[in-house]
C-alpha cells in the first residue's frame, strides 16, 4: 500500500528545507496528502528553589517562537505552492506535555512520518524527540539529514536485514515506498564470524521484493569494528541507494543505554534519508 497521508514534522528553520523537499518528492510521486507540522512548546522552568521569572522573559520567548513558526511555515508553503498534491499546514501548541506527544498523536494516523535529523551540537532535546517518536508512533519514520539536497528518494533502498521483527517491519515499509522497476539492496550483517552459509530468509525476502516488481539483490557482510551503521552507510553508497531502511531499537532500553544502539548511531552519522520501523 503506497502512502497517501504523509506527515512532515518541521522542528527548526535550518532543517525545514531539506525535510520538506524529501516529503514533497514522496507526496508528488504518490499524489499523497502532505501535512506540514510544527509544534510550539511552552517555556517550562524547573528551578531548584523558588524563583521569580520576569514577564519579559516569557514575552521574548513567545515572540521568538512566533518568528520561528512563521519562518518554517513560509518554507513549507513556498515548497508546496507549485505542487498538484494537497498540502496542509498545522501549528500545534503544547501546554505541559512534550512536543513528541503531539507529534506522535498526529503521526499515528499518517502512513509515513518524515522528520529532520538532530543537529550535531544537539544536547539531547531534538534527538530525544526523534527517538521517542520512532519508539512510540507505531508508524515508519523517515529521518532526513539536515543538509540533504537529493533529487531522488524511494527508488533504490538499502535494506538492513537480520530476520528480527523490527527488520521485517522495515523491509515491508520500504516495499510500500518502492515501485515497479525500483531496487532493493538487502544487506545481512553477521556477528563477525566468517561463514559461507547465506541466511535463507534473506533470499526469501529478495523473492518477496521480486514478486512486487522490485529488483532485489542480497549481500552478506561480516561485522566490522566500525559498527553496523558504518557498514550500512558504506554499502548504501556503493549500491547507489537513495535511502536506507532499518528496524529500530530492537533491544531493551537498558541494553541501548549501556551498550549503545545501531539505531542511535545511524541517526547520528547517516548522510542518506533513513526509514526507521519498529
Amino acid at each position: 500500500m503506497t502512502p497517501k497521508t504523509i506527515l512532515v514534522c518541521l522542528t527548526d528553520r535550518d532543517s525545514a528545507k531539506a525535510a520538506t523537499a524529501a516529503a514533497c518528492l514522496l507526496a508528488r510521486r504518490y499524489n499523497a496528502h502532505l501535512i506540514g507540522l510544527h509544534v510550539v512548546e511552552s517555556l517550562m522552568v524547573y528551578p531548584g528553589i523558588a524563583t521569580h521569572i520576569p514577564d519579559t522573559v516569557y514575552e521574548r520567548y513567545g515572540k521568538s517562537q512566533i518568528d520561528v513558526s512563521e519562518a518554517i511555515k513560509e518554507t513549507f508553503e513556498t515548497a508546496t505552492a507549485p505542487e498538484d498534491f494537497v498540502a496542509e499546514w498545522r501549528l500545534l501548541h503544547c501546554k505541559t506535555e512534550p512536543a513528541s506527544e503531539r507529534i506522535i498523536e498526529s503521526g499515528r494516523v499518517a502512513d509515513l512520518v518524515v522528520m529532520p535529523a538532530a543537529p550535531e551540537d544537539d544536547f539531547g532535546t531534538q534527538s530525544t524527540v526523534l527517538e521517542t517518536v520512532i519508539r512510540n508512533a507505531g508508524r515508519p519514520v523517515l529521518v532526513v539529514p539536515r543538509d540533504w539536497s537529493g533529487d531522488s528518494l524511494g527508488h533504490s533502498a538499502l535494506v538492513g536485514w537480520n530476520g528480527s521483527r523490527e527488520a521485517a517491519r522495515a523491509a515491508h515499509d520500504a516495499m510500500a515506498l518502492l515501485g515497479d522497476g525500483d531496487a532493493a539492496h538487502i544487506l545481512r550483517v553477521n556477528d563477525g564470524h566468517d561463514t559461507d552459509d547465506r541466511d535463507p530468509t534473506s533470499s526469501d525476502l529478495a523473492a518477496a521484493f521480486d514478486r512486487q516488481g522490485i529488483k532485489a539483490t542480497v549481500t552478506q557482510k561480516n561485522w566490522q569494528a566500525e559498527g553496523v551503521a558504518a557498514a550500512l552507510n558504506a554499502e548504501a553508497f556503493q549500491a547507489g541507494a537513495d535511502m536506507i531502511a532499518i528496524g529500530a531499537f530492537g533491544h531493551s532500553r537498558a541494553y541501548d543505554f549501556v551498550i549503545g544502539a545501531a539505531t542511535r548511531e545511524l541517526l547520528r552519522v547517516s548522510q542518506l534519508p533513513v526509514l526507521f520501523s519498529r
Side-chain angles (χ1 to χ4, degrees):
M1 182 178 68
T2 58
K4 287 298 183 180
T5 304
I6 299 174
L7 177 74
V8 56
C9 305
L10 305 174
T11 55
D12 59 79
R13 282 180 283 200
D14 294 339
S15 63
K17 184 176 180 180
T20 301
C24 283
L25 280 174
L26 295 175
R28 187 185 308 137
R29 181 179 185 185
Y30 301 112
N31 192 28
H33 184 111
L34 178 61
I35 302 169
L37 173 68
H38 178 61
V39 179
V40 176
E41 291 188 283
S42 299
L43 178 61
M44 303 297 293
V45 180
Y46 304 98
I49 58 174
T51 185
H52 172 67
I53 305 297
D55 290 342
T56 54
V57 172
Y58 290 98
E59 290 172 2
R60 287 196 297 268
Y61 178 80
K63 176 63 166 58
S64 69
Q65 291 301 297
I66 291 173
D67 292 344
V68 169
S69 299
E70 288 300 320
I72 293 174
K73 179 182 179 182
E74 182 179 358
T75 298
F76 177 79
E77 291 185 340
T78 299
T80 56
E83 300 289 352
D84 292 330
F85 58 78
V86 177
E88 173 189 349
W89 172 253
R90 291 184 185 176
L91 179 64
L92 299 181
H93 293 266
C94 296
K95 293 183 178 179
T96 57
E97 71 274 21
S100 57
E101 291 301 315
R102 302 307 305 271
I103 295 172
I104 290 169
E105 181 182 89
S106 297
R108 283 180 174 162
V109 294
D111 298 318
L112 175 68
V113 178
V114 180
M115 297 184 70
E120 290 185 8
D121 58 353
D122 179 58
F123 293 104
T125 303
Q126 290 194 40
S127 57
T128 298
V129 170
L130 263 177
E131 289 190 20
T132 303
V133 174
I134 291 170
R135 284 183 182 276
N136 300 311
R139 309 304 304 137
V141 179
L142 182 72
V143 178
V144 181
R146 298 175 68 81
D147 59 351
W148 183 81
S149 58
D151 56 6
S152 175
L153 182 60
H155 291 281
S156 179
L158 190 284
V159 180
W161 179 251
N162 62 4
S164 68
R165 178 182 67 85
E166 293 80 10
R169 289 292 302 272
H172 288 275
D173 287 339
M175 195 180 295
L177 291 180
L178 298 170
D180 190 35
D182 290 338
H185 312 278
I186 301 166
L187 175 64
R188 171 90 186 195
V189 180
N190 295 321
D191 61 1
H193 300 291
D194 291 332
T195 177
D196 294 328
D197 296 327
R198 187 176 297 260
D199 172 66
T201 62
S202 301
S203 298
D204 288 342
L205 179 62
F209 275 104
D210 285 336
R211 294 184 191 105
Q212 296 287 345
I214 300 165
K215 296 175 289 186
T217 59
V218 177
T219 303
Q220 186 159 289
K221 298 282 187 178
N222 290 321
W223 184 289
Q224 301 294 324
E226 62 267 27
V228 174
L232 287 167
N233 269 307
E235 194 68 26
F237 280 105
Q238 184 175 339
D242 57 29
M243 63 175 284
I244 296 171
I246 188 174
F249 297 114
H251 299 287
S252 68
R253 288 179 182 270
Y255 180 96
D256 289 343
F257 178 77
V258 176
I259 306 299
T263 306
R264 192 170 291 117
E265 185 185 358
L266 200 55
L267 279 169
R268 183 178 59 84
V269 304
S270 182
Q271 296 177 15
L272 288 174
V274 183
L275 184 71
F276 292 99
S277 300
R278 188 169 189 271

